[in-house]
Amino acid sequence: MRVLSDPAETGAVTLALPQDVQAEAYDWPQEFFAERVWRVRRPAPDPVELAEAVGAIRSARRPLIVAGGGVHHSEAEGALKALVDATGIPVTSTQAGKGSLRHDHPADLGGIGHTGTAVADDLARTADLVIGVGTRYSDFTTASGTLFQNPDVRFLNLNITAFDAHKLAARTVVCDARAGLEALTSALAGHRVAGAYETEYATGKERWDQVVDAAYRAADENAVPTQTQLLGALDAVVGDEDVVINAAGSLPGDLHKLWRARSPRQYHLEYGYSCMGYEIPAAIGVQQATPDTPVWALVGDGTYLMMPTELVTAVQEGLPINLVLVQNHGYASIGGLSESVGGERFGTAYRYRDPADGSYTGAPLPVDLAANAASLGMDVLRAKTVRELREALATARASDRPTCVYVETDTAGPAAPPAEAWWDVPVAQTASREAAVRARTEYDRQAAARRTHL
């Protein structure tokens, strides 16, 4: 309970009870079972640290907020909005922090880093003060240390954990995120960024919204949907209260760039470790915790093969989770990474070997994942076109049964917008294949931009 109620250490706790202990009787004192309320502390900012933070913000010309998962854990979304409304400082978000502001808030610029939006990453490159709120500055967020390129950039971190607050040689405010944001808002009364800066990021946000519209739009409703058109179809069906869950594959990158989060709890991604197989058990947990909430588990074919069997639990318990099963006949994310490092997508497609050369370029494997989901007790809706997909998603949302929407996506059609920032995926330093040599040259070029900020 100490760990569970600690604002910094809070997390999963495992109780391992040996079998003989589980079965052994003991005369426990009755007070041991008395109901207790465990309150999570909200440490306020230190006055000296707060004063230094206020001075840094007032002197900055191009401040930028990076909202991390700590905003959600602290239930600080309202405090963040109040600060932004008062000061005009734009907000970007990590995977864990997405949804800290509604997508249509004028200052919300979407995801940042390797899977971020163009407007967020452009501002990150020129920011003179980066204000991290509840973020650990993962490799994706910093674009492997290459994103924040202003020679004079400085960092200010509000974090409940001192270890993360000190990252990037930052000024630190070690405190609860909500308490810290509220204190900043009060201390910054009357301060606002320059109007030209607000106009600049508003124009960039408008341009990116047009990119999202184009990615979501399908020119032909009778065509096979692309993955981004699938997200557009889902966006048209969900309500503010729906929860969208994902964890692995190419979907996290597309979602971070393109998804328009409408509430703090709608965007549910486990991307700290890219846990394949997380989505279905997570959907069950969310559905149990909030029974009246429509829950969507977005799962690629590779992830589905890792752990589909918890669907049986959903069927057994009558939990009306919605599984969107995306079939692209291979490992799309790993295939893309393989290509970027000169691996030429080896072994990432679900195909037989070619008898002539042994490569995986033969006929597609006769895999039917929809039939598998049906065999586990799910109601299955197969969608072959954009129109059928929209209808299937609407039917699934209205159903009171566990439902799978199965769709094969067009991998040859328009893809998601490319990455706006780098990510360090090592490439062989010595290689004979031309693709690997080219990839190493590009790797060395990108790595040269890495900064330590010390």
Side-chain angles (χ1 to χ4, degrees):
M1 290 307 302
R2 181 193 64 77
V3 172
L4 286 171
S5 61
D6 186 278
E9 290 187 286
T10 182
V13 172
T14 300
L15 300 178
L17 302 179
Q19 187 174 5
D20 57 344
V21 173
Q22 294 181 55
E24 189 173 312
Y26 188 81
D27 187 17
W28 295 96
Q30 188 172 348
E31 65 186 50
F32 182 82
F33 300 100
E35 183 174 323
R36 291 184 60 186
V37 177
W38 295 78
R39 302 192 185 280
V40 179
R41 301 186 308 280
R42 287 191 179 274
D46 176 82
V48 174
E49 290 186 340
L50 179 64
E52 291 181 347
V54 169
I57 294 173
R58 287 187 179 276
S59 63
R61 297 177 59 193
R62 301 180 65 82
L64 181 69
I65 292 173
V66 177
V71 175
H72 293 312
H73 289 304
S74 180
E75 298 181 331
E77 299 90 355
L80 176 64
K81 182 178 183 298
L83 174 67
V84 172
D85 287 344
T87 63
I89 301 174
V91 175
T92 64
S93 56
T94 68
Q95 284 279 15
K98 192 172 172 74
S100 295
L101 288 181
R102 268 186 65 102
H103 74 91
D104 52 4
H105 189 285
D108 180 67
L109 307 184
I112 189 172
H114 175 64
T115 54
T117 68
V119 59
D121 286 349
D122 284 347
L123 258 67
R125 293 185 180 95
T126 60
D128 60 357
L129 180 67
V130 178
I131 306 167
V133 183
T135 179
R136 299 171 299 169
Y137 289 110
S138 71
D139 210 35
F140 266 63
T141 300
T142 67
S144 300
T146 65
L147 185 58
F148 306 109
Q149 286 297 322
N150 187 330
D152 299 320
V153 67
R154 295 294 181 266
F155 297 85
L156 166 64
N157 294 336
L158 277 70
N159 206 295
I160 193 68
T161 305
F163 178 87
D164 292 316
H166 282 84
K167 287 181 177 176
L168 302 178
R171 292 182 182 273
T172 65
V173 184
V174 180
C175 65
D176 169 74
R178 191 169 80 186
L181 289 169
E182 290 172 346
L184 278 178
T185 302
S186 176
L188 287 167
H191 174 74
R192 193 169 184 88
V193 300
Y197 187 45
E198 291 192 74
T199 300
E200 177 187 345
Y201 70 69
T203 301
K205 177 180 174 65
E206 183 179 352
R207 284 197 302 267
W208 186 256
D209 282 341
Q210 293 170 357
V211 171
V212 177
D213 288 340
Y216 279 4
R217 188 182 306 119
D220 182 0
E221 290 283 305
N222 296 313
V224 175
T226 64
Q227 183 161 284
T228 60
Q229 290 166 0
L230 183 156
L231 296 182
L234 184 61
D235 176 77
V237 169
V238 302
D240 289 10
E241 68 277 18
D242 292 37
V243 176
V244 176
I245 300 172
N246 183 241
S250 58
L251 276 166
D254 291 358
L255 286 161
H256 198 209
K257 289 190 193 82
L258 302 175
W259 188 256
R260 290 166 165 162
R262 306 176 193 180
S263 71
R265 297 291 177 261
Q266 183 172 83
Y267 189 85
H268 180 128
L269 261 78
E270 193 300 299
Y271 209 51
Y273 300 97
S274 191
C275 293
M276 299 177 73
Y278 171 86
E279 294 90 342
I280 294 170
I284 291 173
V286 172
Q287 190 74 74
Q288 287 180 309
T290 53
D292 297 327
T293 300
V295 179
W296 303 86
L298 275 56
V299 177
D301 44 9
T303 294
Y304 181 84
L305 289 173
M306 286 286 178
M307 199 163 73
T309 51
E310 286 302 321
L311 291 177
V312 174
T313 303
V315 173
Q316 181 182 41
E317 297 299 320
L319 300 172
I321 64 170
N322 299 308
L323 170 66
V324 181
L325 180 49
V326 185
Q327 171 66 284
N328 54 30
H329 297 282
Y331 298 101
S333 176
I334 300 303
L337 284 176
S338 169
E339 188 169 44
S340 71
V341 300
E344 302 174 83
R345 295 182 178 265
F346 177 77
T348 58
Y350 294 154
R351 291 180 174 273
Y352 287 109
R353 286 184 181 270
D354 187 325
D357 59 9
S359 63
Y360 292 99
T361 57
L365 299 180
V367 175
D368 190 343
L369 299 183
N372 179 264
S375 75
L376 297 177
M378 297 284 286
D379 290 350
V380 176
L381 306 171
R382 294 178 184 254
K384 296 181 179 180
T385 67
V386 174
R387 177 176 287 105
E388 290 178 0
L389 175 60
R390 294 185 193 280
E391 294 171 352
L393 292 172
T395 299
R397 190 174 188 274
S399 176
D400 60 358
R401 287 256 313 148
T403 304
C404 169
V405 176
Y406 173 85
V407 57
E408 298 193 29
T409 54
D410 178 9
T411 57
E420 297 291 337
W422 187 57
W423 180 38
D424 186 348
V425 181
V427 183
Q429 190 169 4
T430 303
S432 57
R433 297 184 71 86
E434 183 180 348
V437 173
R438 287 197 307 269
R440 180 67 196 198
T441 300
E442 177 63 13
Y443 176 88
D444 289 337
R445 185 184 74 82
Q446 296 280 7
R450 188 185 284 114
R451 298 182 61 190
T452 60
H453 301 292
L454 293 176

